[in-house]
Amino acid sequence: MVLAPILGALAMLAGVLTTWIVNTRPASEQDPDARFWYVFTGACVAAPLVLGATVIDRWIGVATLATVAGTVLAANKYSSRIFRRRVDAEHESILAAEHSALAARHESVLRAWSRYELDPEAAINHPSMHDVSNPPTAALVRALAAAEGLRHHRPELASSGSGADYRQAVLDLEAAFRHAELAGERMPGDAAGIPNNVLLGELADRLRPC
């Protein structure tokens, strides 16, 4: 009589372990057949234990079978929830790392552009970099504003589209900056235009850290 409950307990333990492994291991192993073999192995372990308990005591065997089924269902629900949380955490970590990398590229463009304001020689040699009437510079200003508007969106919102938007905004900003630099070789004074200080001041206010 003592052996039957022990076999039942071992069957429940085998069911719980099998359920946990089935819900966690195949995804990390990337093997499409792993789930089947884990279930098969667990059944081969648990079935003889349930059968042994039933042979010793029929009612204990029935109770063991019902308990194993309930335990497996509960373990499946719990392990699935834990696995989803782990996957979500890994996904958020990837999104945060990607957002940080994009922010670093964004900051690199801001530093490069600020050189044309802080370095007198660069400002003199590239006057069109401050002339928003120049189409490439105007496009750069718009790209700066667009990227800055998306910069502080939370990384976890990337699944709803903001992450992809910020990625594209940074790519557009880098392209606009390269184009403005290529078009910003020193131009004659009458072709350089007059910088729009008002618009540039407004942009500087938007880019200023809060």
Side-chain angles (χ1 to χ4, degrees):
M1 294 296 294
V2 177
L3 182 58
I6 294 176
L7 293 177
L10 292 175
M12 286 188 292
L13 179 60
V16 170
L17 291 177
T18 300
T19 303
W20 180 269
I21 292 174
V22 165
N23 283 330
T24 57
R25 293 293 297 277
S28 60
E29 295 175 356
Q30 298 181 348
D31 183 357
D33 297 327
R35 187 180 300 273
F36 167 79
W37 289 113
Y38 284 134
V39 172
F40 180 78
T41 302
C44 289
V45 173
L49 295 172
V50 174
L51 181 60
T54 304
V55 170
I56 295 173
D57 188 307
R58 182 179 61 183
W59 297 112
I60 291 181
V62 172
T64 297
L65 182 60
T67 305
V68 168
T71 303
V72 167
L73 291 175
N76 180 67
K77 183 177 180 180
Y78 176 76
S79 60
S80 297
R81 187 187 310 120
I82 295 299
F83 181 69
R84 283 196 301 271
R85 288 179 180 176
R86 188 176 69 182
V87 171
D88 290 343
E90 292 175 354
H91 183 59
E92 293 298 333
S93 178
I94 292 173
L95 291 178
E98 181 181 6
H99 188 85
S100 296
L102 290 171
R105 291 167 61 178
H106 184 177
E107 190 64 32
S108 176
V109 176
L110 291 179
R111 287 195 301 269
W113 188 62
S114 67
R115 181 174 70 90
Y116 294 104
E117 288 209 13
L118 302 178
D119 186 347
E121 181 180 356
I124 293 173
N125 291 333
H126 300 82
S128 66
M129 291 297 288
H130 300 285
D131 180 11
V132 294
S133 66
N134 186 40
T137 305
L140 172 60
V141 170
R142 289 193 296 269
L144 284 166
E148 189 64 26
L150 294 168
R151 182 178 188 176
H152 300 293
H153 284 198
R154 297 173 60 188
E156 60 267 24
L157 296 179
S159 58
S160 64
S162 64
D165 291 341
Y166 183 51
R167 187 185 309 111
Q168 187 60 49
V170 172
L171 293 175
D172 291 343
L173 173 59
E174 291 173 335
F177 182 74
R178 287 193 299 268
H179 183 56
E181 279 193 316
L182 290 175
E185 298 299 329
R186 186 171 184 178
M187 301 170 59
D190 57 350
I194 302 174
N196 190 333
N197 293 327
V198 175
L199 181 56
L200 290 176
E202 292 178 355
L203 177 63
D205 291 338
R206 293 187 62 178
L207 297 178
R208 186 177 298 114
C210 298

